[in-house]
Each structure stands twice: as structure tokens, then as C-alpha cells.
Amino acid sequence: MSGRLRVVGLGPGNPEQMTFQARTVLAGASDLFGYRAYLERLKPEPGQTHHVSDNREELARAKAALAMAASGKDVAIVSGGDAGVFAMGAAVCEAIEGAPDALHQIDLEIVPGITAMLAVAARAGAPLGNDFCALSLSDNLKPWELIEARLRAACGAGFVLALYNPTSRARPWQLARAFEILQAQLPLETPVIFGRAVGRSVESVAIVTLQAAAQEKADMATCIIVGSAETRIISRAGLPPLVYSPRSSFRPAR
Amino acid sequence: MSGRLRVVGLGPGNPEQMTFQARTVLAGASDLFGYRAYLERLKPEPGQTHHVSDNREELARAKAALAMAASGKDVAIVSGGDAGVFAMGAAVCEAIEGAPDALHQIDLEIVPGITAMLAVAARAGAPLGNDFCALSLSDNLKPWELIEARLRAACGAGFVLALYNPTSRARPWQLARAFEILQAQLPLETPVIFGRAVGRSVESVAIVTLQAAAQEKADMATCIIVGSAETRIISRAGLPPLVYSPRSSFRPAR
């Protein structure tokens, strides 16, 4: 097989937060596959074809890209953020595992990117400065009961939480339920960060207490970080507060 | 105050995996602060001063950089990987919190980078394709009992684990103990990835079973990813295997 397949993380939406490696790969590919909102960020190179697909068609997109790479093309699949965090990396691996053995040898490269929680954290301070978990709240691909169990386990053990896919029109109550669970286990003044479209012109970052955290503050483009009991807020006159999780866990909880 | 302070994630060591934003900030700073191994990656710009310090001096380094920024300089502190994940972001916030109120208004920006687990995951496939935790195994800043509790909680709830700071000369038995704990809770064939110096010329990536995972396979420059019970291995004739965690958790465990 002469073709190759690369899965590229675009970063959070600010083109300056893309890596040099990602830009080089995207410039050289013959064909780009991706969700419409991500491909719209990229101007096609001369001779380059963009294959746009809708959200929630990840496996079909991965199979189509794999088939085109196997036919000899230089194919890149794009993801927002990182390629491997709730993104196309796993879908491509699933497509390869399900394909005939010959396709297992496809020339594959995963190109990492800045995932949403890192960009949101950077906007707020350093809330991921101690141990943390990244958890998708979407119950499209796993049972809701498992999500609840993971929320309880993670916050019970003192992890900071980064919540991906917090809400959508098809999942109208799940985030509110998640906050209920967290409110029962964590101090109500625990900081919660809602980072929406971070890095883009429409970016918004809101820092609230867990008590005030509500489903309505999030949408599909939001990544939420919930602190641990040790996460701290530094007030700054005339500036948004800084939120950080101390590196040390020896100090008593607040 | 006319100065400013930026905390910059360099990415995992391959300069191509740095962001455009990080390179721009580093080129414009009057003074760079950082651990020797990270500053050695960067050639000083004309007129730029590099302030080298040793490892484990994070808070002193943060205070010195803050003081210099407050004096009017354009200061950048560098971290390997991301600025906010077991890195200088939290140390800088600690320094600001402990400083006189006037210093809370310092012009501060955190510039994210590709953290080690994302680079290691990309080399192996998509092991972070489902929910995961990032956990530092260093008991310099938290009690070992807390680390054990977090390991048990995370793997018991089905999270993939990314282990930072897995071992050092001063911590000779902790990683072996961590593997014992994980071996008691997870299938012994669970994939474990040892990624050392990923992105650099001396990079090595080893994929073994949890049964074969051992402290000797890691050093200070290693980031370890331990799969969940659902993480899968795809064999590839003549190539290293692919490791990935399926997006769906509905399929029965192996």
C-alpha cells in the first residue's frame, strides 16, 4: 500500500494553538476528512479535496478515510483539540481493527493537539495542576449509570474533573444530574469553570461555585472543569479570578 | 506594573509539536526562566537572558520570575509538555497567591502545550479514547496513601490511567507498588505503554501487558499509560501493535 492515513488534532480553535506538525501534515495531504465545523477552519490547498461529514458519523468517516488511504492517497482526518481525546483516533483504530488484515499495515500516524481542557485550564489559571480525570458526559456510547459511577469515584478520590460533551439537545438533563451528584460530594464553594469555544473570537469563560453550576451555562461547545476540595480561587481587583489546584495535597482541605 | 509573566508549555520535546503561540511568546520575551533540561532546548534570542534552575525548585523559580515581571520585564517561564499539567502553572499561581496584593494584578498568560500523555498516546494508537485520569506518582508533594487510593478508585471505575513522574532515584519502590495494586484489580493482559522521551531523538515506546509491567522499564522521562479492561490491542505484521480504548463502553469486557 502506498497511501497513508494521518489523524490530526487541530487544537482548540485558535490557529496559533495548532502545532507546526499539524499544519505541515494538513498542507501536504491530498484529502481531508472531518466534521463540517472543523474543516471550515481550514482553507483547502490547491488540488486538495475536503470530505465533509456530519457529527456523530465518526466510524463511517473513519472507514471512508481508511479506504481512500488504502487506494494510495495521502489522507488526513481532522479532529478539534487532540486527535486521541474523545476524538477520531479511537474511531480510526476501530475501523482498522474491523478491516481486512491487509489494511492493518496502513501507514498510520496520529498527530496530537491541544485538547479542550488544557486550553480552558490555561484561561482560568492552573485548575489541572494536581491529579485529574477527563470524562465524557455523553451517554450515546455508554450507559448513564457508568457515567454516574465514574463521577462519584473520581470526585470521591479527590481528582479534579474535566467534563467533555457536557450537554446537547438530545441530552437535556444529564449535566444537571451530574452537578447534583458532585454537589452531594464536594464543598459547594468548589470552583467550576465553563469554557466555551476557547481560543475562538466567540470565546467565553465563566467561573462559578459548584452551588451555582447549572446545565444552562453549557452547550455542545463547552468544556467544564470542576475543581477538587483543594482547588483555590485568587481574587484579582479588576481582573477575572485565578483558579488553581495546588501541587501539594498535604495542606488541610479548606 | 508594565511587566508581564507568561507560562509556556513547550510540548513533549519535538520542536514540531510546539504551538505557533508558544514560539511567538518565547521569541518576544526578555527573560526566560526554567529547568535546565527545558531551557537547553531553546536558543537564546539576541538580548534575551536565560535563568536556569534545577528541578524541584519550582516555587523559588516562580517567585523569582514574578518579581522580575513586576519590575517591568517581559518574562516567560517554560515547562515541558503543557504549562498546567504537573508543571509551572500551579507553582506560579501559588507564588501569586502568596505575594502582596499588588502583584495579583500582574499581566499573566498561560500558554498551553501538548502534555506528555497525549504524545505517548499518539505514538501507540488511541489509548486515551475513552475516559481517563492523569495521576502523578510522586509522593514528594502528597502522601503515598492518597496515591494508592486514587489508583484504586480510578482503575476500579474503569478509567484509563496516565501516570506522570512514575519513578526517580529518590522513589525506588513506588512504581512497583502501583503495578501491584493495578494487577490486583485489572486483567493481567491489560495493555501498558511506556513512552520515554517521546518526540526526541532518543524516544522509545514499549507496549507490554500489565503482568509484565515493571518499575525497571521506566525512568524520570517516562510517561506510562495503563489501559482499562476495555482497552484493545491490534496486531500488525511487521509493525508495532496499535493500542486503543473504544469510544463505546457498551461492549462486554474481554
Side-chain angles (χ1 to χ4, degrees), chain B residues 85-107:
Chain B
V85 175
F86 309 120
M88 289 302 298
V92 166
C93 290
E94 286 171 45
I96 290 174
E97 189 177 28
D101 273 3
L103 288 187
H104 291 202
Q105 269 73 258
I106 190 82
D107 182 352

Side-chain angles (χ1 to χ4, degrees), chain A residues 126-131 158 160 191 227-234 243-254, chain B residues 84 86-87 89-94 97 141-142 146 150:
Chain A
L128 304 179
N130 207 312
D131 303 327
V160 173
S228 72
E230 295 182 323
T231 302
R232 300 175 67 80
I233 291 192
I234 308 173
V243 181
Y244 82 101
S245 299
R247 302 164 301 144
S248 165
S249 291
F250 284 119
R251 74 171 75 193
R254 281 175 300 168
Chain B
F86 309 120
V92 166
C93 290
E94 286 171 45
E97 189 177 28
L141 291 166
K142 60 193 172 198
L146 181 62
R150 288 183 180 168

Side-chain angles (χ1 to χ4, degrees), chain B residues 71-224:
Chain B
S71 80
K73 297 296 192 78
D74 187 341
V75 175
I77 305 186
V78 302
S79 277
D82 179 62
V85 175
F86 309 120
M88 289 302 298
V92 166
C93 290
E94 286 171 45
I96 290 174
E97 189 177 28
D101 273 3
L103 288 187
H104 291 202
Q105 269 73 258
I106 190 82
D107 182 352
L108 175 71
E109 186 181 16
I110 317 276
V111 178
I114 306 286
T115 182
M117 65 182 166
L118 302 185
V120 171
R123 278 297 193 213
L128 305 179
N130 208 312
D131 304 326
F132 62 92
C133 293
L135 178 60
S136 169
L137 284 195
S138 170
D139 55 358
N140 293 327
L141 291 166
K142 60 193 172 198
W144 178 253
E145 295 67 32
L146 181 62
I147 296 171
E148 289 202 1
R150 288 183 180 168
L151 283 169
R152 287 196 182 89
C155 88
F159 286 100
V160 173
L161 283 168
L163 305 178
Y164 283 72
N165 305 316
T167 189
S168 73
R169 262 172 290 184
R171 296 182 285 112
W173 54 265
Q174 284 86 338
L175 179 58
R177 176 73 190 128
F179 284 138
E180 278 178 18
I181 289 166
L182 298 171
Q183 284 159 353
Q185 286 192 242
L186 288 169
L188 292 178
E189 69 269 29
T190 301
V192 178
I193 303 155
F194 292 81
R196 185 178 182 282
V198 162
R200 289 158 56 199
S201 58
V202 295
E203 161 183 314
S204 72
V205 178
I207 296 168
V208 305
T209 63
L210 181 55
Q211 183 160 36
Q215 172 126 11
E216 300 72 49
K217 295 182 191 294
D219 67 8
M220 277 179 62
T222 306
C223 179
I224 301 172

Side-chain angles (χ1 to χ4, degrees), chain B residues 2-65:
Chain B
S2 60
R4 62 178 172 178
L5 180 57
R6 290 186 279 192
V7 191
V8 182
L10 299 183
N14 174 350
E16 294 298 307
Q17 289 182 343
M18 193 184 292
T19 66
F20 291 86
Q21 185 183 30
R23 193 170 293 186
T24 302
V25 166
L26 294 174
S30 65
D31 295 83
L32 297 192
F33 284 75
Y35 173 43
R36 183 178 309 277
Y38 300 138
L39 281 183
E40 279 172 356
R41 292 188 200 165
L42 306 169
K43 195 166 138 251
E45 302 285 331
Q48 184 179 68
T49 306
H50 282 199
H51 305 264
V52 170
S53 45
D54 280 338
N55 208 352
R56 298 187 57 180
E57 297 185 0
E58 289 87 356
L59 191 56
R61 182 189 307 144
K63 288 178 177 174

